[in-house]
Amino acid sequence: MDFLGRFLVLSQWQTILILLFVMAMFYIIYKMSVYKINFSLRMLFALVVGVLMGFVLQYLADYPSVLEAKKNLWYSEIKIWLSFVTAVFIGFIKMLVIPIIGISIIKVIMDLDKDIKIYSLLRLSLFWILFITAVAAVIGITLGWYFELGLGFNIQAGEREIREVLTMPQILLGLIPSNIIVSMTKENIIAIVVFSLFIGFGAKSLYKQNEAIYKVFEGFIFALHQIIMNVTGFVISFMPYAILCMMANVIVSNGFEAIKTALLFIVLIYLAMLLMFVVHFIILALEGLNPIVYAKKAFPVWLFAFSSRSSVGTLPLTVSTLQNKLGVSSGVANFVASIGTTIGLNGCAGYFPALAAIFIAYGIGMEIDFSFAMIIVLIAVLGSLGIAGIPGSATMAASIMLTGIGFGEYFTYLTLILAVDPIVDMARTASNVSGAMTSAICTDKHLKSFDSKIYNSK
């Protein structure tokens, strides 16, 4: 009995019965994938089952306090098993952060060098895309801070030292990867981004010096990138299984407080989406364009993006609307809209990871000051380059954000947020697409190839 309890953590018949139920649900999720049922529906199924399971377990244990939960053997054992499945999935996600950041940014630089020859187009488009993403991150920080997202949520932070307020020189010094191995070990995301940018631009110069060697390096980077994307896709495919255990564990640990926090997070995400639309309108107005005209013509694109939850799937409609209704030249429409599906995502890389960072900060009782907020914005912008083209980009963006601000150990507590991902993804996608469209219009206008007559036409 001691062996079953201390080693296998299976000393109670209730534990075994609940685990059999979980495995049965896993089998149903697996069969759903076999029959090609949409990934979003599998996620939704796992979310509902996880929530119901969590509340049933709390009911059976008579809604125990933290102290009572520790004395209830089967309740403690099932929490250990649910936490185990959650930790395994989170561990694999965190495993991918550094290689994704490093390889993706190098590939992005090499892709731009190979395919885009017009310096002005590259400079302007990246400016607008990343600038609007920075604004999105500021909105996420502001909303999370104002509504105190995560305050009162049960995050066991332990004894944590008061965080030192960094000066501007200290923050800038942290950007320099004096030892890239140490930076990787300490998960210094910003340093890794800077190092990867240097490697990418170094590869650009190599192309002019020795094209044969460049081709070898290009093949290596592109092959490595594809391998990482395949591994990432494989890990993300297990997300429905993890979500079931994540949500059940969150409810078991936090009860109704978890639901209240999840609802607040959803509300803030949708509020952030609306505020980003306002930001897009203001930017267009400052460019001398009527935002109401933009809203009327872009609305079908927003609606499709919101419903499909796919920036890439919306791309043909995005490009067509930019060219035929909004007066953007063909080259700019295709280029900016295309890179806007993978870089500078207003929702996925902007306000979503910023809200996640504030949620954890409040949960562990950390003070939110200006330097902390500035680091969040910086990592959101740089991280939006690193997640280019990967599946589950919002999940990876959140992981990159927490790792970058030194909260990597608390990623497990994002399970509540990840569990409601199907609901918030609609708002994120609409923001992503509108941000790309706004960037395309502004870029084309500054390149003086924009057709205002088409824009203002009925």
Side-chain angles (χ1 to χ4, degrees):
M1 201 65 182
D2 190 58
F3 172 75
L4 291 175
R6 291 180 179 272
F7 183 70
L8 294 181
V9 201
L10 291 171
S11 64
Q12 305 297 305
W13 65 267
Q14 294 98 324
T15 308
I16 298 172
L17 193 62
I18 294 167
L19 288 179
L20 288 174
F21 171 78
V22 171
M23 286 188 281
M25 294 300 103
F26 281 2
Y27 179 74
I28 292 175
I29 294 172
Y30 167 73
K31 295 301 288 185
M32 291 172 75
S33 66
V34 170
Y35 289 110
K36 308 296 182 184
I37 293 177
N38 187 277
F39 184 78
S40 299
L41 292 178
R42 282 181 272 153
M43 287 278 288
L44 187 60
F45 173 80
L47 171 63
V48 172
V49 172
V51 170
L52 293 176
M53 178 179 165
F55 280 121
V56 168
L57 292 179
Q58 278 220 326
Y59 171 76
L60 294 175
D62 197 23
Y63 302 101
S65 64
V66 176
L67 185 60
E68 292 170 341
K70 291 180 179 179
K71 295 179 180 179
N72 188 324
L73 284 180
W74 71 263
Y75 197 77
S76 298
E77 287 180 351
I78 203 62
K79 281 182 67 176
I80 290 173
W81 280 106
L82 292 174
S83 298
F84 168 73
V85 176
T86 298
V88 168
F89 179 75
I90 298 301
F92 281 120
I93 289 290
K94 291 175 68 177
M95 170 190 75
L96 296 167
V97 169
I98 290 176
I100 281 176
I101 281 286
I103 301 302
S104 294
I105 288 180
I106 294 172
K107 182 179 180 296
V108 164
I109 299 300
M110 295 178 73
D111 272 344
L112 293 174
D113 180 60
K114 182 180 67 174
D115 298 330
I116 305 301
K117 301 300 181 183
I118 306 174
Y119 170 75
S120 296
L121 171 60
L122 175 59
R123 173 176 55 83
L124 286 168
S125 59
L126 286 181
F127 166 76
W128 284 110
I129 285 173
L130 298 180
F131 169 71
I132 296 175
T133 300
V135 174
V138 171
I139 286 176
I141 294 168
T142 305
L143 289 176
W145 168 77
Y146 183 80
F147 289 96
E148 299 182 327
L149 178 65
L151 190 66
F153 192 72
N154 182 26
I155 295 182
Q156 302 298 324
E159 292 187 9
R160 187 179 179 91
E161 295 180 2
I162 297 175
R163 189 174 61 86
E164 179 186 359
V165 177
L166 299 178
T167 63
M168 177 61 75
Q170 287 175 315
I171 292 174
L172 294 177
L173 191 61
L175 302 180
I176 301 174
S178 57
N179 187 323
I180 191 59
I181 304 300
V182 173
S183 297
M184 289 181 179
T185 303
K186 293 184 176 180
E187 297 181 324
N188 186 340
I189 297 299
I190 298 177
I192 294 168
V193 168
V194 172
F195 178 79
S196 301
L197 287 172
F198 272 100
I199 295 296
F201 286 114
K204 285 173 60 177
S205 61
L206 180 63
Y207 179 78
K208 298 176 182 177
Q209 296 168 2
N210 193 319
E211 187 175 346
I213 296 178
Y214 173 84
K215 291 293 183 182
V216 173
F217 182 72
E218 180 187 47
F220 170 73
I221 291 295
F222 279 46
L224 191 57
H225 180 266
Q226 188 57 54
I227 291 170
I228 292 172
M229 293 304 102
N230 291 342
V231 173
T232 303
F234 177 73
V235 172
I236 293 296
S237 69
F238 285 95
M239 198 165 178
Y241 304 93
I243 285 296
L244 190 153
C245 294
M246 284 177 177
M247 204 60 213
N249 192 40
V250 166
I251 298 296
V252 163
S253 301
N254 297 278
F256 288 100
E257 182 65 33
I259 296 298
K260 186 177 77 172
T261 304
L263 289 175
L264 176 59
F265 186 84
I266 293 170
V267 169
L268 293 183
I269 284 287
Y270 278 81
L271 181 56
M273 176 192 73
L274 295 176
L275 290 175
M276 281 313 301
F277 285 145
V278 173
V279 169
H280 300 156
F281 297 159
I282 293 173
I283 290 174
L284 292 174
L286 292 174
E287 290 293 320
L289 299 171
N290 188 336
I292 297 176
V293 173
Y294 167 72
K296 288 180 179 179
K297 295 184 176 182
F299 182 75
V301 185
W302 300 344
L303 187 60
F304 186 86
F306 186 86
S307 304
S308 66
R309 295 174 50 210
S310 172
S311 297
V312 175
T314 312
L315 186 58
L317 182 59
T318 304
V319 173
S320 174
T321 303
L322 285 170
Q323 289 182 222
N324 302 325
K325 295 183 179 182
L326 294 171
V328 179
S329 61
S330 176
V332 173
N334 280 277
F335 174 66
V336 179
S338 296
I339 66 170
T341 63
T342 56
I343 296 175
L345 307 172
N346 288 188
C348 292
Y351 57 75
F352 176 77
L355 281 167
I358 297 299
F359 166 72
I360 295 297
Y362 268 117
I364 63 175
M366 176 170 282
E367 182 183 354
I368 299 171
D369 54 29
F370 179 76
S371 65
F372 180 64
M374 193 168 74
I375 290 173
I376 290 177
V377 173
L378 185 60
I379 292 175
V381 172
L382 296 177
S384 72
L385 293 172
I387 62 171
I390 69 167
S393 56
T395 303
M396 293 309 306
S399 178
I400 290 167
M401 174 61 74
L402 293 194
T403 303
I405 61 178
F407 287 176
E409 63 188 291
Y410 301 116
F411 188 83
T412 304
Y413 295 100
L414 276 190
T415 53
L416 176 67
I417 291 174
L418 298 180
V420 296
D421 190 74
I423 301 171
V424 302
D425 194 36
M426 294 183 290
R428 288 195 312 241
T429 307
S431 300
N432 295 343
V433 172
S434 183
M437 294 179 74
T438 303
S439 299
I441 294 170
C442 293
T443 298
D444 205 40
K445 199 166 188 303
H446 282 266
L447 289 173
K448 302 187 185 306
S449 52
F450 179 75
D451 193 332
S452 58
K453 291 182 180 179
I454 295 178
Y455 182 94
N456 293 313
S457 65
K458 294 183 180 180

